[in-house]
Amino acid sequence: MNRALFLSVCAFSMSLACTDSRRAPTPPAPPPIDSGKTDAAPPDAGANDAGEPDAGLADAGTPAPTGDGGSACSAQGLSPTPSPANPPLPPAVDSMRRRIVAAAVACDYAALAALGDEQGKSLRFSFGADEDVARFWRQAEQERGEPVLARMVKLLSLPYTKQDALYIWPTAFRENATAQDFEALKGIYPDAQLKAMQRDRSYLGLRVGISGDGDWQLAVSGD
């Protein structure tokens, strides 16, 4: 091969090498290694999957509602529903009777006082100068040991009598009360006390009176 031809071949070969070098693609970057972690912010510790506050944390400092009822009294555990009246009472009278029983069984002195004042401050509960019926009955129960609320509940399930405009419990309070009227009070008052009242023909125990329009007017013991 002559010199001119050799130089020509070399020049052509070098040209191809340069061209292939310019067209060679850049190799792709290697993919990132997965470490198992994400950049997302951690969920709120006080929320559940639905985004709502955790039930164990909600309302933790909210106090339970309170009221006058709930403390122990002699009527606790008795039925809050009195026996059906026979003969039936006027609806307003029976409604008041049932509400008195429910409040007494709940040991709710404030509710009893409110029932007594529902149609005006007319409830007679003492022959003295006492003006606060809730305090009077609370002291009778807790300080003097008198089961006034239990007696009230039991009396309002007994037969009643009527005097003028008042429906009154028990029937032993009426004139010419019978031995049966006093017999109905067994378990409410001691036998010796019942015999003494029957002998004297004078019932001095608790009596409850409700007017025909449902006004609670009487809940008093004594002469």
Side-chain angles (χ1 to χ4, degrees):
M1 181 181 295
N2 60 32
R3 183 177 178 83
L5 179 60
F6 177 77
L7 292 175
S8 176
V9 170
C10 286
F12 179 75
S13 299
M14 290 177 65
S15 174
L16 286 177
C18 292
T19 302
D20 291 341
S21 175
R22 286 194 303 268
R23 291 181 180 178
T26 302
I33 300 174
D34 185 6
S35 63
K37 298 180 180 180
T38 64
D39 293 332
D44 187 352
N48 55 26
D49 293 340
E52 298 173 352
D54 188 276
L57 301 177
D59 299 329
T62 303
T66 58
D68 189 56
S71 59
C73 72
S74 61
Q76 197 170 38
L78 297 178
S79 173
T81 305
S83 300
N86 186 24
L89 291 161
V93 178
D94 197 44
S95 173
M96 177 56 75
R97 178 181 74 120
R98 290 174 177 275
R99 287 186 289 158
I100 292 170
V101 169
V105 170
C107 306
D108 196 335
Y109 299 96
L112 289 168
L115 290 174
D117 291 344
E118 191 170 84
Q119 297 188 38
K121 294 188 176 182
S122 58
L123 177 63
R124 184 175 185 180
F125 61 92
S126 169
F127 288 106
D130 303 278
E131 296 183 355
D132 188 335
V133 64
R135 181 177 59 197
F136 182 78
W137 284 338
R138 188 183 290 109
Q139 288 176 343
E141 288 268 347
Q142 299 176 359
E143 298 178 14
R144 300 193 295 274
E146 299 175 11
V148 59
L149 298 192
R151 287 172 176 168
M152 191 180 305
V153 169
K154 293 175 181 179
L155 290 176
L156 287 171
S157 279
L158 295 179
Y160 63 89
T161 186
K162 195 166 183 298
Q163 291 186 3
D164 299 326
L166 285 183
Y167 293 80
I168 297 179
W169 291 259
T171 55
F173 183 63
R174 65 186 172 184
E175 292 184 10
N176 302 317
T178 66
Q180 186 177 2
D181 293 329
F182 283 95
E183 186 72 19
L185 297 172
K186 275 187 169 291
I188 300 178
Y189 286 95
D191 288 347
Q193 191 173 355
L194 289 176
K195 288 178 180 179
M197 289 191 287
Q198 185 177 359
R199 183 183 63 246
D200 296 338
R201 297 182 180 180
S202 179
Y203 173 74
L204 301 179
L206 178 68
R207 53 265 196 194
V208 180
I210 304 173
S211 69
D213 58 357
D215 184 18
W216 186 16
Q217 295 187 359
L218 186 69
V220 67
S221 302
D223 201 351

